[in-house]
């Protein structure tokens, strides 16, 4: 086996991919945009998806590639996929919960287009279709510290997955046989409401947290201002509303691939509790 290139090595999943590959004794190249942000256990190579030449320069000697795509506007993924296929034999792509795209269909989300490009290439591939990350709840940190979370659809039931489990599935697909052509929809092991997620974080951080349902029209305005993408905000609001009626799916894929259950959200909250405390609160937990 040649070297493994991790694209998105400083990402919330990619850094765990690098760590697990290095611990397994694999030779790893980590693509980083900032040369100052080198990664332990890997040879850091400076590159950027917006510059295909830098990706091509990172690929000689690489046999397998972990690819994530940040959804940056105006960047054509075709030369990136073509360059990977010229050198590597296997690619593991971090996707999301999307429907398969027929050849004559237009993608509704960039993940579908990248999946199609990979399917049409010479690469042996695995798609790791991850439900929303548990780490996204770090966006509540300021509110948790204040003891109240104001967010829409408190009864929306989610199946968030720990980024370490996403990485572990990706590493199996990179390093083991038997995963070619798999489309793994991976989730956490349970469905929990937004309000329950906030309560669990508070319990693990040692903070009493109250939930306040934010009216959707107020949330639309606030999130659009914060995220700068009205279409994305609208899609999120629609999804969360739907999860109040039909919970986000829960799969046993992590268990089947890894031979152990996915980590619970409480485990994630316990391991990240310090991120939700103020310095003063942390002092009481030393």
């Amino acid at each position: 086996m040649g070297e493994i290139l991790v694209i998105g090595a400083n990402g919330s999943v990619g850094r765990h991919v690098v760590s697990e590959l290095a611990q397994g004794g694999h030779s790893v190249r980590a693509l980083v945009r900032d040369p100052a942000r080198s990664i332990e256990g890997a040879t850091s190579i400076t590159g950027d998806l917006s510059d295909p030449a830098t990706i091509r320069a990172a690929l000689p000697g690489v046999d397998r590639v972990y690819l994530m795509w940040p959804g940056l506007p105006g960047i054509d993924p075709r030369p990136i996929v073509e360059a990977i296929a010229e050198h590597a034999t296997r690619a593991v792509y971090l996707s999301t919960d999307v429907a398969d795209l027929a050849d004559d269909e237009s993608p509704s989300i960039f993940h579908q287009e990248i999946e199609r490009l990979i399917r049409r290439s010479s690469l042996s591939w695995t798609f790791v279709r991850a439900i929303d990350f548990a780490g996204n709840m770090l966006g509540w940190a300021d509110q948790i510290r204040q003891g109240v979370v104001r967010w829409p659809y408190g009864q929306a039931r989610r199946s968030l997955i720990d980024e370490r489990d996403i990485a572990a599935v990706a590493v199996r697909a990179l390093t083991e046989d038997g995963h070619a052509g798999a489309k793994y929809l991976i989730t956490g092991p349970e469905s929990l409401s937004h309000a329950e997620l906030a309560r669990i974080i508070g319990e693990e951080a040692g903070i009493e947290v109250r939930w306040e349902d934010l009216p959707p029209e107020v949330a639309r305005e606030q999130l659009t201002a914060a995220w700068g993408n009205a279409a994305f905000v609208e899609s999120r609001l629609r999804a969360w509303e739907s999860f109040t009626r039909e919970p986000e799916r829960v799969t046993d894929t992590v268990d089947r691939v890894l031979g152990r259950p996915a980590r619970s959200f409480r485990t994630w909250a316990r391991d990240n509790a310090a991120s939700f405390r103020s310095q003063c609160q942390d002092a009481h937990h030393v």
Side-chain angles (χ1 to χ4, degrees):
M1 184 193 302
E3 290 195 284
I4 300 173
L5 176 65
V6 177
I7 297 176
N10 276 317
S12 59
V13 176
R15 60 191 174 90
H16 295 298
V17 172
V18 171
S19 176
E20 192 158 329
L21 286 170
Q23 288 173 15
H26 299 282
S27 182
V28 187
R29 296 182 192 178
L31 191 80
V32 296
R33 295 179 64 186
D34 181 356
R37 296 185 67 192
S38 60
I39 299 179
E40 186 177 353
T43 300
S44 294
I45 299 177
T46 305
D48 195 312
L49 289 171
S50 65
D51 185 355
T54 64
I55 307 301
R56 285 194 295 270
L59 283 163
V62 165
D63 180 58
R64 304 176 187 208
V65 174
Y66 166 83
L67 173 64
M68 64 78 64
W69 196 271
L72 299 171
I75 298 180
D76 184 357
R78 287 174 294 183
I80 303 297
V81 174
E82 289 169 2
I84 291 171
E86 286 174 12
H87 292 272
T89 60
R90 182 183 301 187
V92 174
Y93 175 57
L94 177 58
S95 189
T96 191
D97 183 9
V98 294
D100 290 336
L101 189 67
D103 287 343
D104 59 348
E105 278 187 286
S106 296
S108 59
I109 185 172
F110 67 87
H111 290 293
Q112 292 177 307
E113 175 62 17
I114 296 173
E115 284 191 6
R116 181 159 63 184
L117 290 169
I118 293 171
R119 282 192 287 112
R120 288 176 172 175
S121 76
S122 59
L123 290 160
S124 171
W125 52 264
T126 306
F127 299 149
V128 178
R129 293 173 170 173
I131 290 286
D132 275 1
F133 301 175
N136 289 339
M137 295 301 98
L138 291 168
W140 287 353
D142 287 343
Q143 296 192 71
I144 294 286
R145 292 185 193 107
Q146 298 300 317
V148 58
V149 174
R150 299 178 179 88
W151 201 257
Y153 301 114
Q155 296 311 305
R157 302 192 68 82
R158 313 296 307 285
S159 56
L160 305 179
I161 184 167
D162 191 308
E163 289 85 349
R164 293 170 294 184
D165 287 337
I166 303 171
V169 170
V171 167
R172 290 293 180 95
L174 284 165
T175 60
E176 294 181 348
D177 292 331
H179 302 281
K183 304 164 187 174
Y184 290 136
L185 177 63
I186 56 175
T187 75
E190 59 197 336
S191 178
L192 297 167
S193 72
H194 276 157
E196 288 171 327
L197 296 173
R199 174 180 56 79
I200 289 169
I201 293 169
E203 288 172 355
E204 294 301 328
I207 302 168
E208 187 174 338
V209 176
R210 181 166 51 86
W211 180 271
E212 284 188 12
D213 238 35
L214 195 65
E217 60 274 13
V218 177
R220 182 179 291 107
E221 183 178 341
Q222 291 183 1
L223 293 176
T224 300
W227 296 349
N229 187 329
F232 179 70
V233 170
E234 201 59 42
S235 70
R236 289 286 77 199
L237 289 172
R238 283 198 303 269
W240 296 335
E241 189 279 329
S242 74
F243 297 149
T244 65
R245 294 177 281 105
E246 185 175 342
E248 198 166 37
R249 286 187 282 177
V250 175
T251 71
D252 65 350
T253 311
V254 171
D255 201 342
R256 288 189 289 109
V257 174
L258 301 181
R260 63 159 177 81
R263 291 175 173 89
S264 69
F265 182 78
R266 184 174 290 279
T267 296
W268 178 90
R270 182 175 303 134
D271 292 344
N272 290 274
S275 298
F276 294 95
R277 301 187 193 112
S278 66
Q279 290 183 340
C280 179
Q281 290 164 334
D282 259 335
H284 289 90
H285 287 80
V286 172

